[in-house]
Amino acid sequence: MDKRQQSLFDGEEAPWVQDDAQDFLVAQVVFSEQPFGPYDYRVPEECRNQVALGKRVLVPLGRGNRTREAYCIDVGSAAERSAAVDMRKLKPLRKVLDRDPLLNPEMLDVARWISDYYVTPLGQVIETVVPSGVRAQAGTREVVLLDVPNAVIAKLTQLKLPPKQSSALRALASSPKPLTVNELSKRAGCTAAPIQSLRKKGLIRETIERIETSEHALDSETDDPPKLLNEQQEGALRQIGHSIDSGEGGTLLLHGITGSGKTEVYIRAIQRVLHMGRQAIVLVPEISLTPQTRRRFRSRFKRVAVMHSHLSQAERHWHWQRIRRGEVDVVVGARSAVFAPTPRLGLIVIDEEHDASFKQDNIPRYHARDVARYRASLSKIPLVLGSATPSLESWHDAATARSDRISLPGRVRNLPLPEVAIVDLRDEFRSKKSWGMISRPLARGIQETVAENGQVMLLLNRRGFATSIQCPACGFVLNCPNCDVALTHHRDGRKAVCHYCDYVVPEPSQCPECLFDGIRFAGFGTQKLEEEVQKKFPGVACLRMDSDTMRKPGSHEMALERFRRGEVQILLGTQMIAKGLDFPNVMLVGVINADTALHFPDFRAAERTFGLLTQVAGRTGRGDRGGRVFVQTFTPDHNAIVLAAKHDFAAFAEQELPVRESLRYPPWGTMARFVVRGPIETQTQAFADRLGDRIRSYVQADAATFRVLGPAPCPIGKLRNKFRFHLLVQGLEAQSLQTAVRAVSESLQVPEDIQWVVDIDPLDML
């Protein structure tokens, strides 16, 4: 029992006081909204056989006894708890809402860990662990089911009933399962009247259950025969197999260059787990949940659930129930699939484990990799982390024996890595023959590739047509009134758009300030790149993939299928084309501007740039025709770009880690980021200053362990009409940092208009 157990009664005497309070059954519950709890409730006699850990209950709250939905996180006798709270003053819960628990003990343990590690109320964590479609029982409806009690069946031949009632009763008694009224009417060949008479006589028992209201078909795929493993893959599989067989679990980092056959190793390891009668979870970035990925797993395994963002609530609920019942062997999905309720979990795989999408950007701000590590440790099963560009945290863990490293240094079939040419854009822009966004070397490469019937991929991680709208006469920049960012020009619809709050205004024909009619559209995005490609390579089929063109459900899949069939020769887009794609006919990849995120105020900027360049470069050279990569940059001497061109992650990590260590950044320490938001800048800053003072006051006795930076305006100082300030708190280890965050948070008095959040192990520093 939590020693901080709160009282709901303020000394009032409960009307249900009994002489022997030790006979009470007590349920501990939490809420998903304030007050979060935990709170204790007495379980009334009629609910004793229904209440259970992991179920939802309805309970009275506060002096007004308003009914609130809560999650039961513990059940025990009053005798076990009498030292913690006065059992004679507990209110009774009103109703148990679920027939089956929504969380088993293991998943409740995982939820508790997330709550503790990320300093988030347990009720809010549970709302994330259990999908909303499951909580709402989407795709089901309540029906009344009829059956015959055993006592009635025993005297069936002795009953004297009218013929139609007798026929209906015998039809129901002979049914192997309960029937609805309509089903029984059809089987007995009667109307509902005789059935209603039997119900009134107590000869038929009624129960209310939920049933599926719609059919959900599973995709069928043609068989994909197993691929021969090379010596490196065989070695990797042996090492993973040893971890599976040992029953001790552990984390294994599978570092394999792009095209080294990591997916085939995952599949073989999963097959080994399935032969043991167990299940597997495979996490991939949402961007990698392509038809190609789904097809590959469904062709090799017959009972697969693929969880992605385009599923309806009813489909999510249906898959969740199949997983919970053990009817699914392999769960493939994005970060939330780490919560799949597998009863016999034997292996977790995270592909592209470095990807930032595995970190949730709202409460609870968990990282799927760390949740998976904890869940794997609970079940003593292996966690396999795969990447060509591992996060420096995972790389450091392997170097310090927190996990084991497995290497796949070569591509399958000994295919060579693509040649990477760095194009210095400074030379291009000094030249009078500059060709716009596409440099002369890249243009020649595209022409040669198209002439050979090869395919081209062009990456530009900026959508829209122009990234800013500025007046050259007075210097005015068209900014978003709600956010501290410039509006992006979109040619389609002739509009200016904020990519943060979706504010939209018509494209200006003249400067709003000085009325100069020569307003300038500066910078470039994917729309402008598409226009340039069409002008320079007329007659060549081109397709743009970004969040503007891929809004309709299924559009992403249709676009990639067209590219796979060869209907499109040039595919251009944002980072959604950089990962999870395997097209052997791609002979050239062009990175239009490698500096897009390189100079962000973020200590991970170089790591992200290296990873993105390496990943997109790996999309080419996967066939016998080879491949080339052109990387256009204004900073050709930056380590992230030079070493990405050499495909040398180890050298990049060797140079980057000492910099992190000198600044006590992860993996050499842990970090929490506080973000304060408010509508009035001075008030928001004042609260941020007060928060900073409180944090410094708490940690001043242990200055060697902690460092506090800020508060300072966020790089994006205003977002959605809220001014933003942030603080960074660095610690040497997670537990002491979490203790500090929790202590500061619990007694903090927050002004009404101010919001603040804390992010443990933040990835987004903007």
Side-chain angles (χ1 to χ4, degrees):
M1 170 65 65
D2 193 327
K3 293 181 180 179
R4 296 171 295 167
Q5 171 69 47
Q6 303 172 53
S7 173
L8 300 179
F9 319 105
D10 299 324
E12 63 185 79
E13 187 70 14
W16 51 82
V17 170
Q18 299 179 4
D19 292 335
D20 188 3
Q22 302 302 311
D23 290 339
F24 289 172
L25 190 64
V26 178
Q28 189 178 71
V29 308
V30 293
F31 300 102
S32 61
E33 297 178 352
Q34 290 185 330
F36 297 108
Y39 297 121
D40 283 338
Y41 285 87
R42 182 172 62 87
V43 179
E45 190 63 32
E46 63 270 20
C47 295
R48 289 180 70 96
N49 294 328
Q50 301 173 22
V51 71
L53 178 149
K55 289 186 178 183
R56 290 173 299 171
V57 294
L58 291 180
V59 297
L61 182 65
R63 285 188 175 274
N65 287 329
R66 65 188 186 278
T67 300
R68 284 276 300 273
E69 184 179 295
Y71 294 93
C72 178
I73 61 169
D74 197 11
V75 180
S77 68
E80 298 169 343
R81 300 163 179 268
S82 57
V85 68
D86 186 353
M87 295 297 150
R88 299 166 62 86
K89 294 185 177 181
L90 293 183
K91 294 182 180 181
L93 63 84
R94 290 175 174 167
K95 186 178 181 181
V96 178
L97 295 177
D98 300 304
R99 184 182 64 180
D100 301 310
L102 298 182
L103 297 98
N104 59 28
E106 178 196 347
M107 291 313 301
L108 184 56
D109 196 341
V110 170
R112 289 182 190 275
W113 180 85
I114 294 172
S115 173
D116 183 62
Y117 188 90
Y118 294 100
V119 195
T120 304
L122 180 56
Q124 290 186 322
V125 174
I126 293 174
E127 293 269 274
T128 297
V129 172
V130 182
S132 58
V134 175
R135 301 195 305 271
Q137 301 186 66
T140 67
R141 62 181 175 88
E142 284 189 347
V143 296
V144 176
L145 295 177
L146 309 176
D147 68 342
V148 182
N150 290 333
V152 176
I153 293 176
K155 57 180 183 180
L156 199 60
T157 57
Q158 305 170 22
L159 295 174
K160 295 182 179 180
L161 299 170
K164 289 186 177 181
Q165 292 184 27
S166 178
S167 175
L169 187 62
R170 291 177 182 274
L172 183 58
S174 63
S175 173
K177 63 177 184 178
L179 302 175
T180 65
V181 172
N182 288 340
E183 289 171 340
L184 180 55
S185 295
K186 290 180 181 179
R187 180 170 294 199
C190 66
T191 64
I195 299 173
Q196 184 63 23
S197 298
L198 292 171
R199 294 164 76 174
K200 289 180 179 179
K201 293 176 180 178
L203 299 176
I204 289 180
R205 180 170 51 196
E206 302 176 13
T207 56
I208 298 176
E209 291 192 12
R210 283 193 168 268
I211 63 169
E212 296 282 342
T213 58
S214 57
E215 297 292 330
H216 301 282
L218 287 173
D219 297 338
S220 59
E221 301 290 350
T222 56
D223 288 338
D224 179 20
K227 297 173 175 58
L228 292 176
L229 300 184
N230 60 29
E231 186 176 341
Q232 295 171 359
Q233 290 172 301
E234 290 280 9
L237 185 59
R238 279 196 300 272
Q239 198 164 342
I240 296 171
H242 175 74
S243 182
I244 293 171
D245 296 340
S246 70
E248 298 176 359
T251 302
L252 301 100
L253 175 62
L254 181 59
H255 176 221
I257 62 171
T258 56
S260 59
K262 295 186 291 294
T263 303
E264 187 65 27
V265 174
Y266 304 152
I267 288 174
R268 296 293 187 92
I270 292 169
Q271 287 174 337
R272 188 180 191 123
V273 167
L274 266 55
H275 288 155
M276 300 168 66
R278 308 190 78 176
Q279 300 160 292
I281 294 175
V282 182
L283 302 185
V284 300
E286 176 73 35
I287 204 170
S288 298
L289 274 171
T290 62
Q292 195 173 57
T293 302
R294 303 203 290 267
R295 184 163 48 242
R296 189 160 188 185
F297 279 96
R298 281 182 169 157
S299 66
R300 302 287 287 276
F301 304 106
K302 301 307 179 187
R303 304 201 308 171
V304 179
V306 179
M307 313 292 286
H308 54 85
S309 60
H310 293 313
L311 291 180
S312 67
Q313 296 283 53
E315 288 171 325
R316 287 179 185 276
H317 183 205
W318 182 71
H319 281 299
W320 191 90
Q321 292 291 358
R322 291 177 61 237
I323 295 167
R324 185 184 63 82
R325 293 192 296 263
E327 298 171 5
V328 170
D329 295 325
V330 184
V331 181
V332 182
R335 63 173 176 263
S336 62
V338 74
F339 303 125
T342 48
R344 307 182 308 278
L345 188 59
L347 176 68
I348 303 177
V349 174
I350 304 183
D351 191 30
E352 311 291 4
E353 66 86 25
H354 65 277
D355 197 274
S357 68
F358 287 123
K359 171 78 171 177
Q360 173 113 328
D361 60 2
N362 50 39
I363 295 175
R365 291 172 169 80
Y366 69 91
H367 198 301
R369 179 182 61 223
D370 295 322
V371 175
R373 182 181 282 114
Y374 181 76
R375 188 173 180 186
S377 69
L378 276 182
S379 302
K380 297 188 182 303
I381 61 172
L383 167 64
V384 178
L385 306 175
S387 178
T389 56
S391 65
L392 290 180
E393 289 86 347
S394 295
W395 186 261
H396 178 71
D397 284 348
T400 55
R402 190 184 178 200
S403 59
D404 296 326
R405 186 189 302 162
I406 307 171
S407 294
L408 294 176
R411 282 188 156 187
V412 295
R413 298 193 292 128
N414 294 317
L415 293 172
L417 285 165
E419 296 179 5
V420 179
I422 298 177
V423 179
D424 189 342
L425 289 179
R426 296 172 301 181
D427 294 338
E428 285 291 310
F429 276 82
R430 280 193 294 263
S431 170
K432 294 180 181 179
K433 297 181 180 179
S434 175
W435 279 35
M437 282 184 287
I438 300 176
S439 65
R440 288 167 295 171
L442 177 55
R444 286 194 298 269
I446 294 174
Q447 288 171 338
E448 293 166 0
T449 302
V450 169
E452 296 175 17
N453 289 322
Q455 291 177 298
V456 176
M457 296 176 69
L458 300 177
L459 171 72
L460 176 58
N461 211 20
R462 282 284 184 272
R463 63 189 178 101
F465 188 84
T467 54
S468 66
I469 302 173
Q470 186 173 23
C471 175
C474 70
F476 170 82
V477 176
L478 188 61
N479 286 326
C480 175
N482 307 319
C483 307
D484 189 18
V485 295
L487 295 180
T488 300
H489 177 223
H490 283 245
R491 178 66 63 87
D492 54 335
R494 309 193 73 83
K495 59 192 176 184
V497 180
C498 176
H499 289 165
Y500 289 92
C501 72
D502 296 327
Y503 173 82
V504 179
V505 293
E507 163 194 308
S509 58
Q510 59 184 12
C511 175
E513 291 284 322
C514 70
L515 304 182
F516 177 66
D517 59 3
I519 197 161
R520 180 172 174 264
F521 298 93
F524 43 81
T526 49
Q527 288 183 11
K528 194 171 185 179
L529 176 61
E530 180 183 31
E531 183 178 278
E532 185 170 324
V533 168
Q534 290 170 343
K535 287 180 179 178
K536 290 182 176 178
F537 309 101
V540 178
C542 172
L543 179 66
R544 171 164 59 96
M545 287 186 65
D546 55 29
S547 55
D548 295 319
T549 60
M550 300 290 114
R551 288 179 176 174
K552 294 181 180 179
S555 56
H556 188 265
E557 290 84 348
M558 291 172 60
L560 292 179
E561 182 61 21
R562 287 184 61 201
F563 191 63
R564 185 188 68 80
R565 292 197 302 258
E567 297 175 12
V568 173
Q569 272 194 281
I570 300 178
L571 178 68
L572 66 92
T574 55
Q575 64 176 342
M576 67 172 58
I577 72 169
K579 304 166 188 175
L581 305 181
D582 185 358
F583 298 111
N585 198 40
V586 174
M587 297 172 59
L588 185 144
V589 164
V591 180
I592 301 303
N593 187 355
D595 308 331
T596 301
L598 185 58
H599 305 296
F600 278 2
D602 186 338
F603 70 90
R604 289 189 175 90
E607 180 182 359
R608 285 180 176 146
T609 298
F610 180 95
L612 185 59
L613 293 180
T614 302
Q615 292 292 333
V616 73
R619 298 313 103 201
T620 187
R622 290 174 172 253
D624 296 327
R625 305 173 73 183
R628 291 181 292 169
V629 181
F630 290 88
V631 176
Q632 300 183 167
T633 174
F634 287 99
T635 52
D637 299 324
H638 196 287
N639 284 337
I641 292 172
V642 172
L643 295 174
K646 295 179 179 179
H647 309 283
D648 195 344
F649 176 82
F652 173 76
E654 187 178 347
Q655 293 190 18
E656 188 73 8
L657 282 171
V659 177
R660 298 275 184 93
E661 184 178 16
S662 67
L663 298 171
R664 291 171 55 177
Y665 283 138
W668 301 102
T670 189
M671 180 185 295
R673 181 185 186 224
F674 291 82
V675 179
V676 179
R677 302 188 295 249
I680 303 172
E681 185 173 14
T682 54
Q683 183 186 30
T684 307
Q685 183 173 7
F687 178 76
D689 290 337
R690 192 160 72 249
L691 176 60
D693 292 341
R694 181 181 288 268
I695 294 171
R696 286 187 172 89
S697 175
Y698 182 86
V699 304
Q700 66 181 356
D702 199 359
T705 302
F706 295 98
R707 183 170 69 165
V708 182
L709 304 176
C714 294
I716 301 177
K718 185 183 178 186
L719 203 60
R720 302 179 185 90
N721 276 322
K722 297 289 180 67
F723 293 94
R724 307 169 73 239
F725 293 83
H726 65 165
L727 302 93
L728 295 180
V729 184
Q730 294 174 270
L732 294 180
E733 53 90 22
Q735 187 171 0
S736 61
L737 179 68
Q738 291 150 358
T739 300
V741 170
R742 196 173 291 109
V744 169
S745 303
E746 285 178 346
S747 59
L748 196 61
Q749 297 296 318
V750 185
E752 184 176 349
D753 292 337
I754 298 294
Q755 299 171 324
W756 70 279
V757 297
V758 61
D759 187 2
I760 304 294
D761 301 335
L763 291 187
D764 180 8
M765 306 299 288
L766 298 181

